[in-house]
Amino acid sequence: MRTAPEASFTMNKKSSCGPAQVEMNNTSPQGGCQGDEYRWTITYTDPENCAIADGTPYSFVNGSSFISRSPSLMFTKPGRYVVRLSVKGITSSCAAAIATDTFYIKAPPKAIIQEINTVCASSYINPAANVTSCYSKGPFGYQWQFTNGSPEASNDSLPGSILYNEIGAHSIRLIVTDSSCMMSDTAYTTVNIIPLPDAVAGNDTTVCSGEYVPLGLTASRPGNFTYQWSPAEVLNDTAVANPTAVLNYTGTASDTTYTFYVTATL
């Protein structure tokens, strides 16, 4: 009767800020059925898509190999490495013992500023960003810069409301820094500020019953504005800048008065 094998090991580090050589210390009991044969397997994944596609993620170094008792490994690509040690008796039927551990190579975080819609002058935006940690636990620092915005800068992950009064395209920059490795990424975008829309109902006018009356004006400013006219019953279209009304005499007095309202929004 022989004692079943046992598998255990330690690593001299669990993560690194870039490529690293890691020493495996095999602490499995030796002798007979307990540790006659060793096999190391490495499973590499990059679930956060932080590494480039080319290149070999790891290699055995310093003359060691996948069957060494305590090999040296060079990890090169950002991602997650699951290290697996199998211990089996060479001349026995004892089942193999398995031990696993995980190593991470950190990479600079990835920052993407979420899309910002065009807004009118004297309006606010609420910027936000999607940040991928690239295997770091942080903490992360944020540096926002808003050209011609108010405020012009923020160190919060969510900077809140930013006011823009000046018409035009204004740049926005975000730097995200991983303080555990002092690695950073910079993201850029722009916000387009356009003039306020024209909301003109037109001049007061007198017409005969049944005549067509043009209202409003042709939109002269850029932007996908929305118009809402009321009352809608006599208008050919309540959602354009310049609808046409057909006005009919409906009362017993000398005339009928129609009052129209228009709202223009972005």
Side-chain angles (χ1 to χ4, degrees):
M1 180 69 66
R2 305 183 71 180
T3 304
E6 300 176 19
S8 61
F9 69 95
T10 61
M11 298 186 291
N12 66 329
K13 60 182 72 175
K14 291 295 189 74
S15 66
S16 66
C17 301
Q21 180 174 314
V22 182
E23 306 301 328
M24 303 295 153
N25 179 27
N26 191 337
T27 56
S28 307
Q30 290 181 272
C33 198
Q34 293 183 326
D36 295 322
E37 179 180 270
Y38 308 104
R39 289 187 179 274
W40 297 85
T41 56
I42 314 299
T43 303
Y44 168 75
T45 56
D46 181 23
E48 296 186 6
N49 295 316
C50 296
I52 60 175
D54 298 333
T56 302
Y58 70 91
S59 60
F60 290 89
V61 295
N62 294 338
S64 63
S65 71
F66 72 98
I67 59 173
S68 298
R69 174 172 171 81
S70 295
S72 299
L73 281 156
M74 174 63 73
F75 297 120
T76 57
K77 297 179 67 172
R80 179 174 61 200
Y81 297 80
V82 176
V83 182
R84 180 179 184 270
L85 168 63
S86 170
V87 181
K88 187 177 186 300
I90 296 176
T91 59
S92 76
S93 59
C94 297
I98 305 296
T100 62
D101 206 344
T102 304
F103 184 85
Y104 291 93
I105 291 186
K106 306 174 191 177
K110 297 191 298 184
I112 299 175
I113 300 174
Q114 296 178 10
E115 183 179 358
I116 300 175
N117 294 329
T118 297
V119 297
C120 295
S122 302
S123 297
Y124 291 87
I125 66 169
N126 289 278
N130 298 324
V131 177
T132 303
S133 68
C134 286
Y135 313 105
S136 173
K137 296 181 179 179
F140 297 95
Y142 298 82
Q143 295 173 279
W144 291 90
Q145 183 177 7
F146 306 100
T147 302
N148 298 320
S150 179
E152 292 187 346
S154 173
N155 291 325
D156 296 326
S157 59
L158 292 173
S161 298
I162 309 298
L163 174 65
Y164 283 91
N165 292 312
E166 186 176 329
I167 295 168
H170 308 286
S171 65
I172 296 175
R173 184 188 72 183
L174 169 63
I175 301 174
V176 179
T177 302
D178 168 23
S179 61
S180 69
C181 290
M182 296 310 296
M183 297 186 291
S184 64
D185 186 33
T186 303
Y188 297 90
T189 192
T190 58
V191 57
N192 292 312
I193 308 300
I194 62 175
L196 292 169
D198 294 317
V200 179
N203 297 323
D204 294 345
T205 187
T206 301
V207 297
C208 294
S209 180
E211 288 189 6
Y212 290 85
V213 180
L215 301 176
L217 47 75
T218 301
S220 59
R221 294 180 178 177
N224 296 319
F225 298 113
T226 299
Y227 295 87
Q228 183 61 53
W229 288 83
S230 63
E233 290 77 12
V234 295
L235 298 174
N236 68 330
D237 193 334
T238 61
V240 296
N242 53 339
T244 299
V246 181
L247 306 180
N248 295 293
Y249 174 73
T250 59
T252 58
S254 58
D255 56 30
T256 298
T257 300
Y258 292 85
T259 302
F260 293 94
Y261 302 89
V262 59
T263 301
T265 56
L266 180 62

